[in-house]
Amino acid sequence: MPNGYNGKILHVDLSKGSWHVEEPEEKWYRTYMGGSNFISYYLLKNLKPGTDALSPENILIFACSVVTGAPLSGFNRYAVGAKSPLTGAFAETEAGGYWAPELKFAGFDAVVIRGRAVKPAYLWIHDGKIEIRDAAGVWGLDNFQTLERLKEELQDKRIRVASIGPAGERLVLYACVQNDMEHYNGRTGMGAVMGSKNLKAIAVRGTSKMKMADPEKVKEIARWHNERIKTHPPNVGLSKVGTTGLLKGINDGGFLPTRNFKDGVFEGADKISAPAYHETIFHSNSTCYACAVRCKRRVALKHEKYPLDERFGGAEFEALAALGSLIANDNLPAVARGNQLCNLLGLDVISAGAVVAFAMECFENGILTEKDTGGRPLKFGDPDAMLWLIEEIAGRRGIGDVLALGVKRAAQKIGRGAEQYAFHIKGQELGFHDGRGKTGMALGFALSPTGADHIETPHDVAFQGDGVSKLFPMGLFDPVDPLKTDPAKMRFFFIGQKAWGINNVLNLCNFVSVPIHAMTFGRLVEAVNAITGWDVSLYELVNASERSNVMARVFNNREGFTPKDDTLISRWFEEMPSGPLKGKRIDPEIFRDLVQLYYDMSGWDAQGRPTRGKLVELGLYWLLEN
Amino acid sequence: MDVEVRLFESLKKHQPEGGKVRLAEGSRISDLLTALGISTDDVGILMVNQSDGRFDRLLRNGDVVTLIPPIGGG
């Protein structure tokens, strides 16, 4: 038996009600390693270009990596991927928690799902055994009810469940997948793909132990890592206040998206930032498998209008911005309530907030009227309008049915000039980091194969001055200015993207891993080798990372994406209206030139297609015919 | 002893004149933060002489301390 991984990929065909187990050879695992690479491998090999993302032909993949489940902080994530119904492009979205280690302990490294069940079903994977079970008892239930019901039905409180809520069942294009009500594969609409397959949940339970090549060495690295987490400043902050601590810094810097990306400063930021959060709604910390950071928050509040339940998840930075600054709402209990509604109903809170902001700006400009909303005004700063819209979207009622399509398609459907307020990249709504204050992040949003995605890209503001020394092992020695758009910034982004990509290939949490947090590049290589028994180098990990970006790019090219899709939202080409960054903008011509420079550096042609040379370098011979 | 301080983003407003702070021997990073009026909650990244620092680290004459607020991640 191999070390670290099981050597087993489970393939399920829901149309036929059958499954089989594939046992790839070791060099396949060492080449692709996990996560986003497993997803793009199966999509490129098996999905016909042009396939409808919500048809039974789409392929849905839940992927761990060769190191997932090792007892190290942050080695607990999995990626869910398919062709995205929101963007039509390559999709992958990661989540932590306990589900991924449990799948590994149950005997599988990934689950590849095809077809559509005749009636609602869920998968039950336990110690190598597979059952496709009737989901009649849970279809229509929210995520929390589903979790509780499945524990009863399977008579095991220790099962781990990845599920969709009513929004996924009703094919809201940005429906998410969640596990244990605290961990969300939020982006790219994978909940809708699950819903389209009539697949409500995947319950897993495993009792086997993970076999590792050098368990003593893994223990030693874990002790070092966990000790460092206690004193390493970025991790100290995460342990103390989670990601809520970002809101103040980002607002003070002038790049907190506010009022549908119009502004970078929110006047109510203090009311929704870390001190207020911890004084008023904070209940307790929570964590993921084997992780010493404990960045997760639980919130509770007895409130007539905005009750909060500690079992339904606590808002993190992106949720605070999505349902707070972006819609000019400084009512913290309402923000946290909106987040819990998204969690229960199964909506990606980033896209949900962006859709609400889009609707509010349309309403304030007369593009949507009370005729469209059944008499309900939609005004920035109105928390009740936000909560109402979330329920209408998940229920696909009235205007909610249109907004369930995401801002791009909703704007097309509404017409009347709504497009000018629909902010997305490749069809996906943006995470909440204004590109005018983080130009490397802007490049990342433009060039991520999944559409705007803040997990796919370096955060350049963290590498100012001596901060850049965290990237010395990647050969980056010069600090970046977060406001510059020049070739040096592109070099930073190009190399930084490869560093971040390692985390998505190995399914590691950015909050404990390279390059910002407690793990170092050197010790990460040691950890991979102690787990797998291989002798990988940083070079090999960087190659695996680049492979994932290149394969996803080939997938998108096949689906018809071109350089014009590698772009930014119009507001970032305009001057920031106020705050510390007043007057800052990204020059569209310089931006376009940098995108071309990125293609050159990547070994892609002028149309953004990976060249024959690049495919051969990465050993992707099987893609040459594309 | 004198310590050089490099501050970024919203922490710039705490920049001491001449970029240097005089501290008693035996001072730690936490003492430097107190002298500058910066809370540890407002520090995301801390580098000392181009290496990762920690709040309880002892300072030496000539050390270069870089402080960046928490602004990366999501």
Side-chain angles (χ1 to χ4, degrees):
Chain A
M1 189 181 160
N3 292 302
Y5 58 99
N6 293 295
K8 289 188 168 126
I9 308 285
L10 173 63
H11 292 262
V12 178
D13 188 325
L14 291 170
S15 297
K16 294 179 185 158
S18 64
W19 62 86
H20 72 273
V21 176
E22 178 195 6
E23 298 187 17
E25 54 189 353
E26 183 177 5
K27 70 177 177 191
W28 182 85
Y29 277 97
R30 188 156 168 173
T31 302
Y32 298 105
M33 297 199 180
S36 55
N37 271 343
F38 286 0
I39 292 165
S40 47
Y41 178 86
Y42 286 107
L43 290 179
L44 284 165
K45 284 271 183 183
N46 299 292
L47 191 72
K48 213 171 127 199
T51 301
D52 176 353
L54 295 178
S55 71
E57 285 72 37
N58 199 0
I59 300 169
L60 177 67
I61 300 130
F62 287 67
C64 301
S65 84
V66 293
V67 299
T68 306
L72 286 156
S73 290
F75 282 50
N76 52 47
R77 290 167 77 83
Y78 65 108
V80 182
K83 177 176 173 177
S84 166
L86 185 65
T87 65
F90 171 78
E92 62 146 334
T93 173
E94 303 86 14
Y98 298 81
W99 190 91
E102 200 73 27
L103 180 71
K104 292 283 292 273
F105 304 154
F108 300 102
D109 304 310
V111 185
V112 182
I113 299 159
R114 295 173 172 80
R116 172 185 290 154
V118 183
K119 54 184 183 173
Y122 72 94
L123 275 181
W124 170 220
I125 302 170
H126 52 114
D127 283 331
K129 299 187 192 74
I130 321 299
E131 292 175 51
I132 301 173
R133 295 175 65 106
D134 187 348
V138 287
W139 197 256
L141 297 186
D142 70 36
N143 276 315
F144 179 72
Q145 293 165 334
T146 301
L147 177 64
E148 294 300 299
R149 188 71 64 86
L150 290 183
K151 280 180 184 170
E152 278 170 32
E153 187 170 317
L154 298 169
Q155 296 185 327
D156 188 343
K157 285 188 171 164
R158 288 167 299 179
I159 60 167
R160 300 293 176 181
V161 177
S163 68
I164 57 168
E169 295 173 15
R170 296 186 184 117
L171 310 180
V172 175
L173 296 186
Y174 44 92
C176 68
V177 179
Q178 71 81 38
N179 75 84
D180 288 352
M181 288 306 295
E182 284 190 312
H183 316 281
Y184 299 84
N185 305 88
R187 314 291 348 252
T188 64
M190 293 300 94
V193 176
M194 259 179 98
S196 75
K197 296 191 171 306
N198 265 336
L199 181 63
K200 178 70 176 175
I202 306 179
V204 292
R205 179 83 175 99
T207 56
S208 71
K209 281 197 166 171
M210 184 167 169
K211 189 165 170 277
M212 296 181 289
D214 188 347
E216 286 309 310
K217 177 82 176 172
V218 174
K219 268 189 212 165
E220 182 271 314
I221 296 170
R223 277 194 299 273
W224 165 85
H225 192 208
N226 291 344
E227 199 52 43
R228 193 165 138 84
I229 281 168
K230 284 187 208 157
T231 57
H232 188 58
N235 286 116
V236 172
L238 279 174
S239 296
K240 199 170 167 193
V241 295
T243 58
T244 66
L246 297 170
L247 199 118
K248 181 178 186 295
I250 291 177
N251 189 61
D252 287 351
F255 41 91
L256 179 68
T258 301
R259 288 183 175 78
N260 202 23
F261 296 96
K262 196 178 229 172
D263 215 334
V265 179
F266 178 42
E267 65 281 6
D270 282 349
K271 293 186 182 168
I272 57 169
S273 60
Y277 188 106
H278 290 82
E279 279 160 26
T280 58
I281 61 172
F282 176 71
H283 175 273
S284 54
N285 281 27
S286 179
T287 194
C288 299
Y289 173 81
C291 188
V293 179
R294 300 184 62 77
C295 74
K296 291 277 166 187
R297 313 280 99 181
R298 289 176 178 156
V299 295
L301 188 68
K302 287 199 172 88
H303 193 291
E304 202 175 315
K305 268 175 94 177
Y306 313 124
L308 302 174
D309 187 313
E310 69 268 21
R311 299 168 299 176
F312 301 163
E316 301 183 20
F317 165 71
E318 295 290 338
L320 293 172
L323 307 178
S325 64
L326 200 73
I327 62 164
N329 168 35
D330 63 7
N331 185 321
L332 182 59
V335 171
R337 174 69 186 155
N339 180 61
Q340 292 202 332
L341 274 181
C342 287
N343 294 350
L344 291 164
L345 299 169
L347 288 172
D348 169 31
V349 71
I350 294 179
S351 284
V355 165
V356 171
F358 157 76
M360 286 176 168
E361 194 162 12
C362 283
F363 192 92
E364 293 207 339
N365 286 284
I367 290 169
L368 286 176
T369 66
E370 290 184 8
K371 251 170 73 183
D372 302 293
T373 63
R376 185 84 168 76
L378 301 177
K379 294 272 177 70
F380 279 119
D382 179 357
D384 297 327
M386 172 266 288
L387 295 170
W388 176 75
L389 270 180
I390 287 172
E391 301 222 45
E392 293 299 288
I393 291 166
R396 298 204 70 150
R397 293 184 291 267
I399 189 68
D401 189 46
V402 178
L403 296 174
L405 303 174
V407 297
K408 181 184 172 187
R409 286 187 179 82
Q412 287 164 353
K413 208 154 186 178
I414 292 165
R416 310 192 284 265
E419 267 116 340
Q420 64 188 302
Y421 304 121
F423 299 115
H424 64 86
I425 295 174
K426 296 187 178 72
Q428 174 152 266
E429 295 76 17
L430 293 78
F432 304 114
H433 307 263
D434 195 300
R436 288 169 288 192
K438 295 173 123 172
T439 59
M441 182 107 242
L443 291 165
F445 277 172
L447 289 162
S448 164
T450 54
D453 191 335
H454 66 286
I455 300 296
E456 301 275 339
T457 181
H459 289 250
D460 35 3
V461 273
F463 300 94
Q464 300 175 74
D466 295 338
V468 76
S469 56
K470 288 175 176 293
L471 281 163
F472 281 178
M474 296 291 285
L476 269 175
F477 304 117
D478 297 312
V480 288
D481 177 337
L483 303 180
K484 281 222 168 122
T485 36
D486 57 10
K489 173 55 69 70
M490 180 43 86
R491 181 165 184 267
F492 160 82
F493 169 73
F494 177 79
I495 295 174
Q497 190 193 38
K498 291 188 191 350
W500 257 261
I502 293 171
N503 295 339
N504 284 353
V505 165
L506 292 176
N507 297 118
L508 307 180
C509 180
N510 286 326
F511 290 165
V512 291
S513 191
V514 294
I516 295 181
H517 294 91
M519 183 56 83
T520 62
F521 287 99
R523 295 240 81 184
L524 176 59
V525 170
E526 281 182 51
V528 173
N529 289 332
I531 294 164
T532 60
W534 296 336
D535 55 350
V536 303
S537 58
L538 183 56
Y539 173 79
E540 220 177 322
L541 295 184
V542 169
N543 259 351
S545 164
E546 184 174 8
R547 210 169 271 127
S548 81
N549 194 35
V550 165
M551 288 200 291
R553 185 75 186 189
V554 171
F555 181 88
N556 284 353
N557 291 148
R558 249 175 37 170
E559 296 292 336
F561 284 82
T562 67
K564 75 171 170 40
D565 299 300
D566 297 336
T567 189
L568 294 178
I569 63 173
S570 59
R571 281 209 160 135
W572 292 353
F573 296 131
E574 296 161 9
E575 291 188 358
M576 184 75 90
S578 69
L581 299 182
K582 187 175 177 187
K584 293 285 177 201
R585 65 189 277 266
I586 295 175
D587 183 300
E589 279 180 33
I590 294 173
F591 169 79
R592 201 67 251 158
D593 182 58
L594 284 187
V595 170
Q596 286 295 331
L597 178 61
Y598 174 83
Y599 299 165
D600 290 349
M601 294 167 81
S602 301
W604 299 359
D605 69 15
Q607 291 306 305
R609 292 173 301 212
T611 59
R612 181 167 154 255
K614 179 52 69 181
L615 295 174
V616 171
E617 181 202 342
L618 294 173
L620 299 170
Y621 308 104
W622 55 277
L623 285 174
L624 286 172
E625 65 211 48
N626 285 279
Chain B
M1 64 176 166
D2 290 329
V3 174
E4 186 180 336
V5 182
R6 296 173 182 172
L7 304 177
F8 290 89
E9 297 295 327
S10 53
L11 298 178
K12 276 184 193 160
K13 59 178 181 273
H14 300 279
Q15 187 74 34
E17 242 178 78
K20 292 202 171 160
V21 178
R22 181 154 290 176
L23 293 165
E25 292 299 323
S27 294
R28 295 173 188 274
I29 294 278
S30 48
D31 300 316
L32 171 67
L33 292 177
T34 306
L36 292 168
I38 295 173
S39 157
T40 54
D41 289 355
D42 294 331
V43 177
I45 289 181
L46 160 60
M47 313 299 296
V48 182
N49 306 329
Q50 297 203 325
S51 292
D52 286 325
R54 37 195 280 184
F55 294 125
D56 61 356
R57 177 183 165 132
L58 273 172
L59 286 164
R60 289 184 185 169
N61 189 40
D63 276 348
V64 178
V65 178
T66 296
L67 301 172
I68 303 172
I71 37 185

